[in-house]
Amino acid sequence: MGMSSRSAVAIHALTMLARWSERTLTSAEIADSLESNPVLVRRVLGSLREAGLVGSTEGRGGGWNLERSPRDISLYDAYAAVEAGPVLVGHAHPPSRECEVGRNIQALLETEFREAEQAMEERLGRTTIADLVRQVMARERELGLQR
């Protein structure tokens, strides 16, 4: 059980778009950074576009850009745009009503999982794409790799 990589891809793409906001980026450029397939990147960018976080232009010189300020995009916004439903879910099949654990575990897990999801939402909501860009730039300076 765990979060898919779509959130990481979305946050990576948004951070790149914020870092190089003076121009559009192609899905191939983003895919190169991810060492991934441009088709996967386009799918994730499509979900981000549906959420109003990015836009695109077609044709020569086209590409992807942010539709909102990086200060106004939280990691939770990216997560919510690309993930379908909660990360933590109960049993796929109802447990046995004949067992004392089976009768009670689903209700107990629902409470625990709901609180965990709320904590994750709150934590991801505290960090913005602008925060990540600043952190990337600081790490690059520390490594002596700033362009």
Side-chain angles (χ1 to χ4, degrees):
M1 181 175 357
M3 192 180 316
S4 77
S5 65
R6 288 185 305 268
S7 292
V9 170
I11 291 166
H12 188 125
L14 291 167
T15 304
M16 284 187 70
L17 292 170
R19 169 63 181 92
W20 289 286
S21 61
E22 69 279 358
R23 65 184 185 90
T24 60
L25 297 179
T26 66
S27 55
E29 289 173 304
I30 297 168
D32 283 346
S33 178
L34 285 158
E35 294 190 355
S36 184
N37 186 313
V39 173
L40 165 73
V41 172
R42 280 192 291 276
R43 281 190 203 124
V44 169
L45 288 167
S47 295
L48 294 172
R49 180 177 39 213
E50 289 173 16
L53 301 177
V54 301
S56 64
T57 54
E58 293 186 21
R60 187 167 206 190
W64 297 88
N65 61 282
L66 292 180
E67 288 291 306
R68 292 178 15 198
S69 166
R71 291 183 311 273
D72 297 331
I73 303 172
S74 72
L75 301 189
Y76 182 74
D77 294 330
Y79 163 81
V82 299
E83 297 295 344
V87 174
L88 301 170
V89 295
H91 293 290
H93 305 284
S96 172
R97 303 293 301 155
E98 301 302 315
C99 171
E100 61 189 36
V101 172
R103 279 191 299 275
N104 294 289
I105 197 69
Q106 192 65 24
L108 298 172
L109 287 178
E110 284 175 12
T111 299
E112 293 297 321
F113 289 177
R114 184 175 48 252
E115 289 178 13
E117 294 279 345
Q118 289 169 344
M120 182 186 70
E121 178 180 343
E122 189 276 326
R123 178 60 188 95
L124 292 176
R126 279 190 272 157
T127 304
T128 67
I129 296 301
D131 295 329
L132 289 186
V133 170
R134 279 191 295 278
Q135 291 174 41
V136 164
M137 301 305 289
R139 289 176 64 97
E140 286 290 289
R141 281 190 298 278
E142 288 172 11
L143 296 170
L145 299 173
Q146 180 91 27
R147 293 188 218 185

